Amino acid sequence: MKTEENMAQKSTPGGFSQAVLPTASTTIVTESPAIQTGETSVPSQGENMPAYFAKPKESDGALPVVLVVQEIFGVHEHIRDLCRRLALEGYLAVAPELYFREGDPNDYHDIPTLFKELVSKVPDTQVLSDLDHVANWAARNGGDIRRMGITGFCWGGRISWLYAAHNPQLRAAVAWYGRLTGDKTLKQPKHPIDVAVDLTAPVLGLYGGQDEGIPLESVEQMRQALRAANANAEIVVYPDAGHAFNADYRPSYHAEAAKDGWSRMLTWFRQYGVAV
């Protein structure tokens, strides 16, 4: 795929994925003259991967880095806004389009088809390698990867667990309602529960007690695996929240859990050296 094709993301009303329209009235839009945002291209595995970044306009030196991993809907407006929120906290936040090779999520109008025809075809090994290249891009563009964290949401929450077992340079990870167990395929050979023993970075997992897609039984199984591995990890469950409780553009949004989770994430990053 050519670079210009990679960078040509289809426009949607308000910048959101077609599969989640219309958006909820609770949608948060972050704007500030104190931050710089933009689209960029990250060289990865012989191709150019589109990415969105946000960072403070002024800084005294290299910035701590947060890799922001998309939901199944790609880097749509919600993920961009999360990058902007992180930039306001002093981070260089980068969100790469992690299945740009396989297709455009904006081509899909419903979640089951999007998952079946696009998301399920993206290999984990490719994603983890792409994130390594994003880290390298950050190091060349004002970031300090000695202070690097990762956070991801839904599909990206699962990836955040896997990346914490993949890159020993990572200082901390925060996984928001990422699937912990499931069927294994050639493209997804392991799940977070399988890599609990391999974690090299501390992980904070944030989950909803009413999440119909991630039952509390699987959360407890993950806790047991983490204890058995003596892993540095913590899982917080919000009893009244469902899946995607941080997604303010969706009916699933749970403001109290989202606010607490965001605060916990920033504290976790500071505690483990992803500090401003």
Side-chain angles (χ1 to χ4, degrees):
M1 189 178 291
K2 297 179 181 179
T3 303
E4 58 268 24
E5 293 172 339
N6 294 350
M7 298 300 290
Q9 301 299 307
K10 292 181 174 61
S11 61
T12 58
F16 287 90
S17 169
Q18 295 281 359
V20 299
L21 295 176
T23 55
S25 61
T26 50
T27 301
I28 296 171
V29 178
T30 304
E31 296 178 341
S32 173
I35 62 174
Q36 175 187 348
T37 66
E39 307 285 342
T40 189
S41 180
V42 177
S44 183
Q45 305 178 66
E47 298 186 75
N48 291 289
M49 176 170 54
Y52 179 86
F53 74 90
K55 64 180 182 178
K57 277 187 177 178
E58 297 183 6
S59 64
D60 294 329
L63 297 164
V65 175
V66 178
L67 309 180
V68 180
V69 189
Q70 65 200 42
E71 309 155 302
I72 64 171
F73 311 114
V75 184
H76 66 160
E77 186 57 27
H78 176 61
I79 298 300
R80 295 186 184 102
D81 202 77
L82 296 177
C83 289
R84 294 193 290 269
R85 297 177 210 177
L86 284 164
L88 283 174
E89 297 291 340
Y91 294 101
L92 167 58
V94 192
E97 292 278 5
L98 288 166
Y99 31 80
F100 76 100
R101 297 177 186 84
E102 287 74 26
D104 187 338
N106 288 319
D107 289 339
Y108 299 89
H109 293 260
D110 65 272
I111 293 173
T113 305
L114 167 62
F115 190 85
K116 178 182 178 181
E117 296 186 4
L118 176 57
V119 181
S120 64
K121 297 180 180 180
V122 182
D124 288 343
T125 53
Q126 172 184 289
V127 171
L128 298 177
S129 179
D130 281 343
L131 287 169
D132 289 340
H133 287 284
V134 176
N136 292 335
W137 177 92
R140 298 191 304 270
N141 288 274
D144 180 2
I145 60 171
R146 295 170 300 179
R147 295 180 289 157
M148 181 174 67
I150 190 170
T151 190
F153 303 81
C154 183
W155 182 85
R158 174 181 173 273
I159 294 297
S160 295
W161 282 104
L162 298 183
Y163 199 67
H166 167 78
N167 187 346
Q169 288 184 294
L170 190 73
R171 297 298 297 270
V174 179
W176 298 71
Y177 34 85
R179 187 161 51 97
L180 298 165
T181 62
D183 296 333
K184 298 177 182 179
T185 67
L186 289 176
K187 295 185 187 300
Q188 292 88 35
K190 292 183 178 181
H191 293 294
I193 198 168
D194 302 308
V195 301
V197 70
D198 301 316
L199 295 174
T200 58
V203 185
L204 172 64
L206 302 171
Y207 288 83
Q210 304 301 315
D211 191 330
E212 296 180 357
I214 305 176
L216 289 177
E217 180 183 4
S218 72
V219 174
E220 186 55 36
Q221 289 173 349
M222 185 66 182
R223 281 177 168 153
Q224 292 175 5
L226 293 168
R227 285 195 292 267
N230 197 29
N232 187 356
E234 178 183 346
I235 292 180
V236 175
V237 175
Y238 297 99
D240 298 327
H243 190 69
F245 59 82
N246 189 62
D248 50 72
Y249 65 97
R250 301 182 68 184
S252 59
Y253 180 54
H254 191 286
E256 183 180 354
K259 181 179 179 181
D260 185 78
W262 191 263
S263 177
R264 286 178 183 268
M265 177 184 71
L266 296 177
T267 298
W268 191 263
F269 282 156
R270 289 192 295 266
Q271 179 179 351
Y272 291 105
V274 189
V276 177

